[in-house]
């Protein structure tokens, strides 16, 4: 700055010398000050412009950082929503066994927080799950394994599918498919085939035996007493086969899709219960059953398909009798009026009861709570009951305290 002032003063003197001009010292001082102030003003505006540009850059960078954070949050949320939307346990893992990401069902299945990216091969105790995961990670190609786990005290069956991803980190996606219902269905179907075959084989064997005896021994066929007895036994077992086939056909009609064709009519429910009890009289006498009917009104008129209602009451009573062969069973059919105009029909006994583990499945087709084989049947009865009740717009539930009581409750809407 001093150099500029000196240079300005020298130039001013040189100008005055050549032009021989006489200039006052005030004018000279003003020129010198102008030469000093103008650069300062220019410098100030230049610095102010740079400061504004710097503030603008800082604001823009902060905006970009905020947008980046929001984008990362959106991507993370989208990934989380996508993983949760899968509806099945899913893990994205490294070959070392460390979890990169996973959804909530996977964390619940493994019993740990997968968001913390744990290493499963180090944290899991020695078990079938750890062995299967190690095999899938080591395969480095798409592999499938089956696995049985106990989840919340209930056995579950899974199919694990591992798919290597062709990315830089060589991640591996593992999906857990719950096939418990399919597994149970296969077991139930297998048991049904065995039970149905047994149910059919026994009466067919008896029928064949009597037919062969009557055909091969004419003298026996001429004995009226023997012939009458043989025909009675053959009729009994023919009815047994017919009952089994009718049960299958009834389930087929009820599960055939859409609403089954109901032949609705008004009938006295107490008379229907009496007819069904008469059909099961031999079983009741055999077990010395104390049977009672307690309806909330007489007559208790019901509007529905009498055939299907006969199937409902027959199967509920027969189910109770077959599962409680010890003498002294107390069996009751009753009804209670609901405040909304509906009605509740119940079938109750004080027999052995149903274990809580079986209650959610007893209305499934072919399901049998008795795994010992002591109770004969195909597992169709309660399935027929549920479908027939639902066809009439009602619902059925079961509750049981083993050794105390078992109650099947049918809730019907206002008719």
């Amino acid at each position: 700055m001093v150099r500029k002032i000196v240079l300005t003063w020298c130039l001013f003197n040189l100008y005055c010398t050549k032009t021989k001009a006489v200039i006052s010292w005030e004018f000279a001082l003003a020129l010198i000050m102008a030469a000093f102030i103008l650069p300062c003003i220019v410098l100030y505006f230049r610095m102010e412009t740079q400061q504004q540009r710097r503030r603008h850059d800082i604001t823009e960078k902060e905006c970009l950082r905020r947008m980046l954070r929001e984008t990362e949050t959106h991507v993370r949320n989208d990934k989380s929503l996508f993983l949760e939307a899968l509806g099945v346990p899913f893990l994205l893992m490294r070959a070392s066994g460390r979890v990169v990401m996973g959804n909530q069902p996977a964390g619940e299945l493994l019993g740990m927080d997968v968001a913390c990216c744990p290493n499963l091969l180090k944290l899991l105790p020695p078990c079938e799950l750890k062995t299967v995961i190690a095999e899938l990670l080591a395969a480095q190609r798409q592999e499938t394994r089956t696995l049985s786990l106990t989840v919340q005290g209930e056995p579950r069956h899974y199919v694990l599918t591992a798919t290597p991803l062709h990315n830089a980190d060589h991640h591996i996606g593992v999906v857990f498919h719950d096939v418990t219902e399919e597994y149970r269905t296969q077991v139930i179907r297998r048991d049904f085939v065995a039970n149905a075959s047994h149910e059919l084989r026994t009466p067919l064997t008896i029928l064949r035996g009597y037919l062969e005896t009557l055909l091969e021994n004419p003298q026996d066929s001429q004995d009226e007493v023997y012939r009458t007895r043989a025909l009675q036994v053959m009729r009994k077992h023919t009815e047994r086969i017919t009952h089994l086939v009718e049960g299958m056909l009834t389930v087929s009609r009820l599960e055939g899709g859409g609403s089954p064709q109901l032949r609705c009519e008004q009938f006295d429910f107490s008379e229907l219960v009496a007819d069904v009890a008469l059909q099961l009289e031999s079983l009741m006498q055999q077990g010395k059953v104390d049977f009672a009917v307690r309806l909330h009104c007489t007559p208790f008129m019901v509007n529905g398909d009498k055939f299907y209602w006969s199937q409902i009451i027959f199967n509920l009573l027969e189910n109770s009798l077959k599962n409680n062969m010890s003498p002294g069973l107390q069996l009751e059919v009753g009804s209670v009026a609901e405040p909304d105009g509906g009605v509740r029909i119940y079938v109750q006994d004080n027999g052995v009861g149903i274990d809580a583990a079986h209650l959610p499945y007893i209305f499934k087709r072919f399901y049998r709570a008795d795994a010992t084989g002591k109770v004969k049947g195909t597992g169709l009865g309660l399935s027929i009951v549920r479908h027939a009740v639902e066809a009439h717009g009602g619902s059925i539930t079961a509750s049981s305290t083993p050794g105390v009581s078992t109650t099947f409750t049918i809730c019907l809407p206002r008719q």
Side-chain angles (χ1 to χ4, degrees):
M1 185 62 66
V2 175
R3 289 179 182 179
K4 287 184 178 181
I5 296 173
V6 172
L7 179 61
T8 303
W9 177 256
C10 292
L11 290 174
F12 176 71
N13 286 333
L14 180 62
Y15 171 78
C16 291
T17 303
K18 288 184 177 182
T19 59
K20 296 180 179 181
V22 178
I23 300 175
S24 63
W25 67 270
E26 292 90 350
F27 181 72
L29 181 61
L31 289 176
I32 292 172
M33 293 298 293
F36 175 76
I37 293 174
L38 285 175
C40 291
I41 293 173
V42 173
L43 179 62
Y44 170 78
F45 281 108
R46 186 179 297 173
M47 291 178 64
E48 184 66 24
T49 302
Q50 291 179 351
Q51 287 291 340
Q52 290 180 357
R53 190 174 299 167
R54 188 177 295 110
R55 285 194 296 268
H56 176 73
D57 291 342
I58 293 173
T59 303
E60 189 174 0
K61 287 180 181 178
E62 185 61 31
C63 182
L64 290 174
R65 289 194 189 98
R66 186 171 63 254
M67 291 176 61
L68 180 60
R69 287 195 298 268
E70 291 176 355
T71 303
E72 289 176 347
T73 302
H74 284 307
V75 170
R76 193 181 307 111
N77 292 337
D78 290 343
K79 286 182 179 179
S80 177
L81 289 174
F82 173 75
L83 293 179
E84 298 302 328
L86 289 175
V88 295
F90 173 81
L91 294 172
L92 186 64
M93 305 178 64
R94 300 183 185 275
S96 62
R98 182 167 296 282
V99 176
V100 178
M101 67 175 63
N103 56 7
Q104 184 177 353
E108 294 174 354
L109 180 65
L110 298 173
M112 61 180 68
D113 185 7
V114 294
C116 297
C117 302
N119 190 317
L120 299 184
L121 298 184
K122 293 182 179 179
L123 293 181
L124 285 176
C127 60
E128 184 181 3
L129 175 60
K130 183 176 182 179
T131 303
V132 170
I133 289 179
E135 292 175 355
L136 293 174
L137 296 178
Q140 290 300 317
R141 62 177 183 273
Q142 188 170 22
E143 291 284 338
T144 301
R145 294 285 190 279
T146 58
L147 179 67
S148 297
L149 297 174
T150 300
V151 181
Q152 297 179 352
E154 181 183 0
R156 310 291 297 181
H157 303 274
Y158 293 90
V159 173
L160 275 66
T161 302
T163 304
L165 305 181
H166 302 291
N167 58 356
D169 295 320
H170 302 289
H171 291 154
I172 300 172
V174 182
V175 182
F176 295 73
H177 297 282
D178 191 340
V179 295
T180 305
E181 292 303 321
E182 290 84 348
Y183 178 83
R184 285 174 177 162
T185 301
Q186 291 178 0
V187 173
I188 290 171
R189 286 177 178 171
R190 184 183 63 221
D191 293 343
F192 168 74
V193 171
N195 294 331
S197 300
H198 178 76
E199 289 287 318
L200 290 171
R201 182 176 59 186
T202 301
L204 287 174
T205 302
I206 294 173
L207 288 172
R208 180 179 179 180
Y210 276 109
L211 287 173
E212 289 178 349
T213 300
L214 293 175
L215 291 173
E216 295 175 3
N217 300 300
Q219 65 277 10
D220 292 336
S221 62
Q222 294 176 0
D223 186 348
E224 184 176 354
V225 175
Y226 178 81
R227 186 173 66 250
T228 301
R229 178 174 174 274
L231 292 174
Q232 289 176 344
V233 173
M234 291 168 68
R235 182 176 65 179
K236 173 184 175 183
H237 288 283
T238 302
E239 291 174 352
R240 182 177 173 184
I241 295 174
T242 303
H243 178 67
L244 176 62
V245 174
E246 285 181 350
M248 295 180 182
L249 292 175
T250 301
V251 170
S252 178
R253 285 196 298 268
L254 292 170
E255 294 185 348
S259 300
Q261 296 295 325
L262 300 180
R263 298 179 180 178
C264 294
E265 59 179 311
Q266 287 278 348
F267 62 89
D268 189 349
F269 189 77
S270 59
E271 292 181 359
L272 182 141
V273 174
D275 292 340
V276 172
L278 188 61
Q279 297 177 45
L280 297 170
E281 185 178 11
S282 60
L283 279 176
M284 291 186 181
Q285 290 179 350
Q286 182 181 348
K288 298 180 180 179
V289 177
D290 181 11
F291 180 65
V293 179
R294 293 183 173 87
L295 302 177
H296 69 283
C297 65
T298 305
F300 174 29
M301 303 303 295
V302 173
N303 182 29
D305 191 311
K306 193 172 182 179
F307 169 77
Y308 283 124
W309 272 108
S310 297
Q311 292 281 307
I312 292 170
I313 301 302
F314 181 90
N315 283 310
L316 289 176
L317 293 180
E318 186 187 42
N319 179 75
S320 178
L321 294 171
K322 281 186 174 181
N323 284 278
N324 299 282
M325 298 303 295
S326 300
L329 178 70
Q330 294 180 359
L331 182 59
E332 180 180 328
V333 177
S335 66
V336 178
E338 297 288 357
D340 60 357
V343 67
R344 187 159 40 91
I345 300 172
Y346 64 88
V347 176
Q348 186 177 51
D349 67 62
N350 65 340
V352 295
I354 304 171
D355 192 86
H358 295 293
L359 280 176
Y361 311 106
I362 59 174
F363 293 108
K364 289 184 177 293
R365 182 177 50 176
F366 307 141
Y367 189 86
R368 299 177 71 246
D370 176 63
T372 63
K374 295 180 180 179
V375 180
K376 305 301 180 184
T378 58
L380 292 175
L382 293 182
S383 177
I384 292 173
V385 169
R386 178 174 67 88
H387 286 292
V389 169
E390 291 176 352
H392 285 84
S395 62
I396 182 168
T397 57
S399 61
S400 181
T401 302
V404 179
S405 68
T406 300
T407 305
F408 289 89
T409 304
I410 301 171
C411 294
L412 294 176
R414 181 177 181 179
Q415 297 185 355

